[in-house]
């Protein structure tokens, strides 16, 4: 973990070179405000976002790390509480997926690729649910493209996610064969529950949310 104090250029350089990392926006002295956890790629913590250009000066500090758990533990020690998750970049989704992978929920461990797929599918669904600008349409090809892979390269991971209850893919699924690239991919209630906003919902409420994607 790296803590930046009065180091604007160094901080922005770190976020630029560690886009898969995480940032905790905090304060140098105790305050009633809760620190906020972001992805390093989040626009809320980059120069110019919201007109702000000073991130590590004055009362502010930026704690950066590759691990969400490390930043959460540091926040608990320094501030006496866990950080709140940024509602724009939703780093808590990755945290919950990490916890599921570590616990092996249902006896099945999520691989790194599996976590990336679930995260992308959930984020796509949330955008649709939040804005309802157009009909939800996410295909095997879309998921593969988001990860820089081909449909054939992620077919095995997609099938495992269907088997473990994180995804729903329409049509007949044949193990060992690449999935058709235009096959629709949907998150399940288990996938939505990786986000705190959905984790508190009842099964009926979750099904109602999923129905909006049809």
């Amino acid at each position: 973990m790296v803590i930046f104090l009065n180091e604007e250029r160094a901080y922005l350089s770190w976020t630029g070179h560690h886009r898969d990392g995480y940032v905790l926006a905090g304060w140098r002295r105790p305050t009633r405000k809760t620190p906020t956890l972001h992805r390093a790629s989040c626009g809320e913590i980059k120069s110019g976002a919201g007109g702000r250009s000073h991130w590590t000066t004055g009362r502010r500090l930026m704690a950066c790390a590759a691990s969400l758990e490390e930043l959460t533990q540091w926040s608990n020690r320094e501030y006496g509480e866990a950080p709140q998750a940024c509602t724009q970049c939703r780093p808590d989704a990755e945290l919950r997926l990490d916890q599921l992978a570590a616990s092996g929920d249902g006896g099945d461990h999520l691989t790194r690729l599996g976590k990336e797929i679930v995260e992308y599918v959930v984020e796509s669904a949330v955008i649709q649910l939040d804005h309802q600008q157009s009909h939800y349409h996410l295909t095997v090809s879309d998921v593969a493209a988001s990860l820089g892979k081909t449909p054939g390269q992620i077919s095995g991971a997609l099938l495992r996610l269907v088997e473990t209850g994180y995804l729903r893919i329409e049509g007949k699924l044949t193990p060992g064969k690449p999935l058709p690239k235009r096959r629709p991919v949907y998150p399940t209630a288990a996938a939505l529950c990786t986000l705190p906003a959905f984790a508190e919902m009842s099964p009926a409420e979750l099904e109602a949310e999923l129905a909006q994607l049809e």
Side-chain angles (χ1 to χ4, degrees), residues 96-105 108-111 115 166:
R96 284 174 172 263
L97 287 171
D98 281 341
Q99 292 170 339
L100 287 171
S103 65
D105 187 34
D108 295 295
H109 293 261
L110 286 176
T111 63
K115 290 190 294 180
Y166 288 103

Side-chain angles (χ1 to χ4, degrees), residues 157-169 173 179 188:
L158 287 172
L159 288 170
R160 285 191 293 274
L161 290 169
V162 171
E163 293 172 355
T164 52
Y166 288 103
L167 299 181
R168 178 172 66 84
I169 299 178
L173 306 180
L179 291 168
T188 64

